[in-house]
Amino acid sequence: MRAFIAGLPKAELHLHIEGTLEPELLFAMARRNGHALRSESIEALRAAYAFDDLQSFLDIYYEGAAVLRTEEDFYELTRAYLERAHAETVRHVEISFDPQTHTDRGVPFGTVIDGISAALDWGREELGMSCGLILSFLRHLPEEAAMATLEAALPYRDRIVAVGLDSSEQGHPPRDFVRVFERARAEGFRVVAHAGEEGPPDYIWQALDLLGAERIDHGVRALEDAKLVERLRTEQIPLTICPLSNVLLKVFPEMAAHNLPELIAAGLVVTINSDDPAYFGGYVNANYASIADALGLDRSQLAELAAASFRASFLPDADKRAHLDELAAYVKASP
Ligand code: ADE
Ligand code: ZN
């Protein structure tokens, strides 16, 4: 099964670039940028990666992201992720980035996006991957700050496919961001939003009806609301599920308790993603392997999840078809 997953063509649609910052690179950047760290060693830092919930993770994640200062830092971070993704037969990625995490520390928006974009261009040319960029607003900050971020992004409009909403979910409902998403849609951005990770199903309704989300990041709590499941099923609104993240952040007590089989059985479009792989113990193939092991998914189910990842992407239809053809040929040729 590991070999089958390793060669399975797939897309990754829920990936925070700041969440790919491995401790080794984090330490190297801290050293060269003269940034003091609380942890004395890479081992001590890794040992601190034990989380009780989303917020306890976010505190460490934002602290880690503070080592990123220069365009070169963002380039190196993004290139390292693309190399790993390529090695895991990821054909297409839609990468989220959190500009406010950096602009609030005085790093210009242009520095962040120029570094990331240069690496994406490298990935397109050298690895033959296709890449999209999703600008994610931090929901623990006010809507005015999100609006200022959207305005800062407009000169870079052609490099960004979608806007999203992430960070602390509880107490920060999508309804607080209606105006900024309205403006983003008017500017032609596609829309995704984190909802139903820790927050209630009502936040998923709000993401759909008030923000115009075309895809829900996580969304695992949808199963608590039968009407919502019906809506997601009839409109085939994709969920970007991150199994290792959900277990590490205690959304589920263990992988065997994940509700992925129920989401699939309900007829929902579900995809498998790594969220913040440097913090959750594995990249996208480890996520596929963990659900295969703990939930007993077979090859055809894994292939269907990979197919859904292409269908749920923001790629043009012709590109989706080409990836689905490659995937079908791979499955047929697999012993
Ligand atoms: N930012 C990075 N990872 C996140 C997650 N899993 N939920 C919300 N915000 C995030
Ligand atoms: Zn996420």
Side-chain angles (χ1 to χ4, degrees):
M1 192 64 92
R2 288 283 189 287
F4 177 74
I5 292 168
L8 189 64
K10 57 188 78 73
E12 179 149 56
L13 307 178
H14 183 165
L15 180 282
H16 303 266
I17 199 63
E18 295 88 353
T20 69
L21 181 55
E22 292 286 346
E24 290 77 9
L25 192 53
L26 192 158
F27 260 76
M29 288 181 183
R31 207 174 306 120
R32 75 183 182 218
N33 290 333
H35 179 91
L37 293 172
R38 275 195 300 144
S39 299
E40 277 171 16
S41 65
I42 290 169
E43 295 69 37
L45 183 61
R46 272 223 167 80
Y49 292 178
F51 313 113
D52 299 322
D53 54 15
L54 175 58
Q55 191 59 51
S56 63
F57 156 69
L58 289 170
D59 292 344
I60 286 181
Y61 161 88
Y62 293 130
E63 191 177 333
V67 304
L68 295 156
R69 295 266 173 95
T70 66
E71 188 177 320
E72 176 64 25
D73 295 339
F74 288 94
Y75 176 84
E76 206 178 319
L77 174 72
T78 308
R79 180 168 161 161
Y81 163 70
L82 291 176
E83 283 169 348
R84 291 195 76 144
H86 181 253
E88 298 201 358
T89 35
V90 174
R91 302 289 192 237
H92 173 70
V93 288
E94 290 173 10
I95 295 179
S96 294
F97 73 120
D98 290 340
Q100 289 158 285
T101 301
H102 315 297
T103 53
D104 278 7
R105 299 181 288 114
V107 180
F109 188 97
T111 300
V112 179
I113 197 164
D114 282 346
I116 296 173
S117 315
L120 298 184
D121 286 343
W122 174 87
R124 291 179 186 108
E125 274 177 30
E126 298 300 321
L127 304 176
M129 293 173 72
S130 53
C131 314
L133 201 47
I134 301 175
L135 186 169
S136 220
F137 302 117
L138 298 182
R139 68 201 307 163
H140 68 272
L141 298 176
E143 186 180 38
E144 294 69 41
M147 194 67 90
T149 303
L150 179 60
E151 273 158 17
L154 292 180
Y156 307 93
R157 173 70 200 81
D158 57 336
R159 303 194 205 167
I160 300 168
V161 63
V163 293
L165 186 67
D166 67 1
S167 195
S168 322
E169 189 179 10
Q170 302 271 22
H172 300 288
R175 83 163 76 80
D176 291 350
F177 296 88
V178 167
R179 282 166 303 175
V180 71
F181 276 80
E182 198 170 35
R183 173 89 194 274
R185 287 197 315 275
E187 295 285 353
F189 292 98
R190 312 288 298 261
V191 174
V192 302
H194 283 56
E197 177 186 18
E198 283 189 344
D202 184 46
Y203 285 16
I204 303 177
W205 285 108
Q206 290 181 31
L208 299 173
D209 291 336
L210 304 182
L211 305 188
E214 302 167 66
R215 208 161 71 195
I216 298 294
D217 291 320
H218 296 294
V220 291
R221 289 194 58 192
L223 274 188
E224 295 169 28
D225 180 339
K227 277 210 171 72
L228 176 58
V229 171
E230 189 53 19
R231 166 87 181 273
L232 295 169
R233 190 187 64 76
T234 52
E235 295 186 15
Q236 293 287 284
I237 296 160
L239 305 182
T240 61
I241 304 287
C242 308
L244 288 171
S245 165
N246 291 154
V247 173
L248 271 286
L249 300 188
K250 304 205 169 17
V251 174
F252 299 99
E254 56 177 343
M255 196 57 78
H258 200 288
N259 67 7
L260 180 75
E262 288 79 21
L263 295 168
I264 294 172
L268 303 192
V269 179
V270 288
T271 68
I272 298 301
N273 308 272
S274 67
D275 205 8
D276 302 286
Y279 292 90
F280 300 146
Y283 285 72
V284 68
N285 286 354
N287 277 273
Y288 275 85
S290 71
I291 55 169
D293 291 347
L295 301 169
L297 269 67
D298 63 22
R299 284 182 182 212
S300 72
Q301 288 173 303
L302 297 177
E304 180 48 36
L305 290 166
S309 72
F310 291 119
R311 289 191 207 107
S313 74
F314 293 134
L315 282 169
D317 284 344
D319 294 7
K320 291 184 186 181
R321 266 195 303 278
H323 287 300
L324 291 168
D325 287 349
E326 188 208 2
L327 173 59
Y330 173 76
V331 171
K332 204 166 164 202
S334 293

